[in-house]
Amino acid sequence: MLFSFLLVTDAYSASKTILVLGDSLSAEYGLARGQGWVSLLEKKLAEEKIPARVINASISGETSIGGKNRLPDLLNQHHPDIVIIELGGNDALRGLPLNNSEDNFRTIIVSAKHQNAKVLLAGMQVPPNYGKTYTQQFFSMYQKLAQEQKIRLVPFLLEGVANNNQLFQSDRIHPVAAAHPIILQNIWDQLHPLLKK
């Protein structure tokens, strides 16, 4: 019995907590519960017998400053081993200055690292109607932060989705359920190595 208890304890201590700090793209906006990529991640972890717990702290409409303000309490409450940051789209929609967004992201990343969490940043793009300069600077902000902070980056969360109108809800902003396995794969390619460490 003691040997069995030790095995269970070891398995539990190896488990990781993954905190997802995101907006509507991670909060299952317009989807039936369980269809979003975060829910699919939980299922994938279970199927692959990877001991991990997923905390989805995503809120529709969330901005980088909102994420920054909420993160300290989330870190104290959940003590995550990995933090996935999926934010920025609403910053662009609201016309927030890029340098403000960048500062907010940097604070989020540094705060997570100070709690010994590994960080995965999910990059976003904005439509070309925002103007060439802004569009390029917005996209490159994620790469800049990933290189500066030495963290993993999903270059574009909606890779394989963005150019297919059939994969979006009627608002042309939020993906339908069929798109979320693609989004999960984009995340998984960068998340999986962090789970092995």
Side-chain angles (χ1 to χ4, degrees):
M1 284 294 290
L2 178 60
F3 180 64
S4 298
F5 174 76
L6 289 173
L7 281 178
V8 170
T9 302
D10 287 345
Y12 180 79
S13 64
S15 179
K16 288 182 167 54
T17 297
I18 303 167
L19 175 69
V20 181
L21 186 68
D23 53 32
S24 56
L25 297 178
S26 301
E28 297 189 323
Y29 179 90
L31 304 177
R33 192 167 179 82
Q35 292 183 329
W37 74 263
V38 180
S39 294
L40 298 179
L41 171 61
E42 291 183 276
K43 294 171 187 172
K44 186 173 183 66
L45 291 166
E47 288 168 2
E48 303 211 5
K49 295 181 171 54
I50 297 173
R53 180 174 66 118
V54 181
I55 307 295
N56 191 355
S58 303
I59 298 176
S60 293
E62 186 67 289
T63 58
S64 61
I65 191 167
K68 179 185 76 171
N69 291 339
R70 288 196 299 124
L71 184 62
D73 285 343
L74 292 168
L75 292 174
N76 290 332
Q77 182 178 354
H78 301 293
H79 305 287
D81 302 283
I82 299 169
V83 175
I84 301 175
I85 306 167
E86 181 278 299
L87 293 168
N90 290 308
D91 289 35
L93 287 172
R94 298 181 186 191
L96 300 180
L98 271 176
N99 60 329
N100 289 3
S101 297
E102 184 177 317
D103 288 345
N104 293 334
F105 274 112
R106 187 175 289 109
T107 299
I108 291 170
I109 294 165
V110 170
S111 297
K113 289 166 70 175
H114 279 170
Q115 295 285 336
N116 297 316
K118 296 180 176 67
V119 180
L120 173 58
L121 181 62
M124 281 299 298
Q125 294 182 15
V126 293
N129 61 297
Y130 279 76
K132 185 176 181 181
T133 300
Y134 182 88
T135 301
Q136 290 178 342
Q137 289 178 346
F138 182 86
F139 181 63
S140 63
M141 171 182 67
Y142 293 93
Q143 185 72 45
K144 174 185 176 182
L145 286 163
Q147 291 176 345
E148 170 194 298
Q149 296 295 324
K150 297 179 174 56
I151 59 173
R152 284 195 167 266
L153 173 72
V154 177
F156 181 32
L157 181 73
L158 300 182
E159 185 69 43
V161 174
N163 293 325
N164 187 341
N165 288 338
Q166 293 183 335
L167 292 178
F168 284 88
Q169 298 174 38
S170 58
D171 61 10
R172 276 294 295 134
I173 295 174
H174 298 98
V176 298
H180 280 262
I182 302 171
I183 297 171
L184 173 60
Q185 191 58 53
N186 293 338
I187 290 283
W188 184 255
D189 290 342
Q190 297 300 323
L191 174 62
H192 193 231
L194 296 179
L195 293 166
K196 292 180 176 179
K197 292 180 181 178

